[in-house]
Amino acid sequence: MKRKFSIGAPLFLTPGDDLRNYVEDWLDEPKDVRRAAADDVDGAVIDAGVMTLRLNAYVTANMVQYFHALENVYNSKIAGRCNEVRISLNTYGGTVTDGFEIVDMVREWNARRGVKISMIGAGAVYSMGVPIMQAAARRYSYPNAEYLIHPVSAILYGTREQIEDGLTSVKNSEAAIVNLIAARSGMSVVEASEMMRHDSYITAEKALKLGLIDEIINLDDGGEEDSAQADRRAQEMRALEIYLTEVM
């Protein structure tokens, strides 16, 4: 996870990247992904009222732009074509502030629009990917997806006061992530905080037990729901609508 700020602010690194590469990426202007998002919607598979989109990207301003684009084409390309949008999310994480913007956008979308956004954990759902998943109306997972909850990493520089302010920002970010995970998963704040003290790699099965996801997709039977699963899903969707109404 990384954050983009001026002097004294924390920079969160993603596994496999060094500081030099991140400073270079830090200065890059976001690419225009709105056209790509619109093309994804135009070519999306729609099955049983569900539109599936595939998103494999770092959590940066580019991903924020992708969700902005989905908002922009909602009336013209989404509403009336499907009952649910499922976004298959594969991400190594990224910028905390961009991640929180996506969380808030998805929660607002689901509170105000008839077609809900659900997500499918695919491949790696690391770092800020986990909080983003919690904003989804329904949280699916592929069987081989892996989840990662870990502490916020930071590189701080500047005066002593700026470093102390940066540490406060890190603590605030961690507290917000913990509260978000605890509120949706049913874990206690203490349990979620303990998981953030170290790198907690989580299988799909364990994520289901922890309440981080709602369902593991059964690929053997095509993932089709039986009547009991459909009823449970409908009840959970109604409960989510009540929850979103209360938090918005």
Side-chain angles (χ1 to χ4, degrees):
M1 291 184 282
K2 63 174 182 174
R3 270 181 103 148
K4 297 178 287 187
F5 281 109
S6 57
I7 292 176
L11 183 67
F12 302 114
L13 304 181
T14 304
D17 287 293
D18 60 32
L19 176 60
R20 185 181 65 178
N21 290 339
Y22 262 85
V23 170
E24 291 172 354
D25 292 342
W26 201 8
L27 301 177
D28 288 344
E29 290 295 325
K31 298 176 182 178
D32 183 4
V33 296
R34 292 173 183 259
R35 182 180 296 275
D39 290 343
D40 283 353
V41 172
D42 285 336
V45 173
I46 300 178
D47 184 24
V50 177
M51 175 185 291
T52 300
L53 303 175
R54 307 286 181 183
L55 184 57
N56 187 325
Y58 286 101
V59 180
T60 66
N62 291 335
M63 186 181 286
V64 173
Q65 289 296 316
Y66 189 90
F67 281 90
H68 283 174
L70 295 183
E71 287 185 322
N72 291 341
V73 301
Y74 177 82
N75 289 330
S76 60
K77 297 178 182 291
I78 296 177
R81 291 183 63 198
C82 61
N83 302 318
E84 178 185 12
V85 174
R86 290 185 193 173
I87 299 176
S88 173
L89 179 65
N90 185 329
T91 181
Y92 282 99
T95 308
V96 171
T97 47
D98 288 335
F100 280 138
E101 181 176 359
I102 294 168
V103 167
D104 290 339
M105 280 195 297
V106 173
R107 289 173 63 181
E108 182 180 46
W109 175 302
N110 286 333
R112 298 182 179 180
R113 292 179 172 87
V115 179
K116 308 301 182 184
I117 290 181
S118 294
M119 293 191 189
I120 308 171
V125 184
Y126 290 174
S127 197
M128 279 305 295
V130 174
I132 290 173
M133 282 282 295
Q134 304 314 301
R138 178 88 176 158
R139 303 161 300 166
Y140 300 91
S141 178
Y142 286 119
N144 293 312
E146 183 178 58
Y147 301 83
L148 170 62
I149 298 174
H150 67 160
V152 172
S153 301
I155 296 175
L156 306 176
Y157 63 97
T159 66
R160 178 176 60 81
E161 289 80 7
Q162 288 173 323
I163 291 174
E164 290 175 350
D165 291 341
L167 286 172
T168 298
S169 177
V170 171
K171 293 176 181 178
N172 290 342
S173 294
E174 287 191 334
I177 293 170
V178 165
N179 289 334
L180 182 62
I181 291 174
R184 186 69 195 277
S185 69
M187 283 191 287
S188 69
V189 171
V190 173
E191 291 171 326
S193 297
E194 181 62 26
M195 297 193 73
M196 284 199 67
R197 291 185 59 196
H198 51 86
D199 287 355
S200 300
Y201 289 93
I202 305 166
T203 63
E205 291 81 3
K206 185 174 180 181
L208 182 62
K209 292 178 181 178
L210 291 172
L212 294 172
I213 59 174
D214 299 305
E215 179 182 340
I216 299 174
I217 295 175
N218 186 348
L219 300 179
D220 294 332
D221 63 1
E224 295 182 358
E225 297 178 322
D226 58 27
S227 59
Q229 289 176 319
D231 290 343
R232 186 179 71 250
R233 180 167 171 253
Q235 292 174 359
E236 290 173 346
M237 291 290 283
R238 287 193 291 270
L240 176 65
E241 290 177 359
I242 295 173
Y243 166 75
L244 290 170
T245 302
E246 292 175 348
V247 301
M248 289 299 296

